[in-house]
Amino acid sequence: MADLSDEKITEAYMDVRSDKSDTNWMLLDYESDRSDRLILTRSGSGGLTELKDVLDESKASYAYVRVAYSNDKESQREKFIFVKWIGKGCKVMRKAKLSVQAADVKSVLRAFSIEVTASEKDQLDEEGVITRLRKAGGASYDGV
């Protein structure tokens, strides 16, 4: 079971969800290779582009991101995504625990439209994520 007792995690989650905050992503990492305790590693306001820059190829991490996009000239939407990052150099035992521990993380970072599992940074391309969000959102009038 993942330990999400760090109060900074809940504070960061609320910050990303807040309309009054510029913060639009947060990143959780395991405290150490052998620990199941998650800590808030970073947060920022540069969206998926900034998040991709800080992902570590040797780690498994979780991120929560607010994504803004428009369907037409008149509308602006904000949706939230849950990211499960599994870097190429992530240890085998950590990978084995991820599916179970991801459920624990989702019990805290609970309001999101889609889940993105990525092992390469290009899987977090903003255009691809927005396309998935539009499909998940139901009615689409621009052919996606």
Side-chain angles (χ1 to χ4, degrees), residues 29-123:
D29 283 312
Y30 290 94
E31 192 171 48
S32 70
D33 285 341
R34 294 184 178 265
S35 174
D36 289 335
R37 185 171 194 267
L38 286 159
I39 56 171
L40 176 69
T41 309
R42 294 193 56 181
S43 60
S45 58
L48 282 168
T49 303
E50 186 177 48
L51 171 64
K52 288 191 301 187
D53 288 342
V54 300
L55 291 172
D56 187 332
E57 294 284 338
S58 69
K59 292 183 177 180
S61 305
Y62 304 95
Y64 188 72
V65 186
R66 179 177 2 138
V67 180
Y69 64 95
S70 56
N71 279 346
D72 54 44
K73 292 181 234 171
E74 306 299 320
S75 69
Q76 179 75 13
R77 291 181 181 212
E78 288 188 337
K79 298 288 182 180
F80 298 90
I81 67 168
F82 175 77
V83 177
K84 186 167 57 172
W85 169 255
I86 308 165
K88 296 252 183 216
C90 179
K91 296 190 187 289
V92 175
M93 285 306 293
R94 178 63 68 202
K95 285 181 189 178
K97 292 180 176 183
L98 274 183
S99 61
V100 173
Q101 292 183 343
D104 298 331
V105 177
K106 288 185 224 177
S107 71
V108 175
L109 311 179
R110 60 192 168 280
F112 56 90
S113 297
I114 62 170
E115 177 179 339
V116 179
T117 301
S119 57
E120 295 182 16
K121 293 180 180 184
D122 63 356
Q123 293 171 311

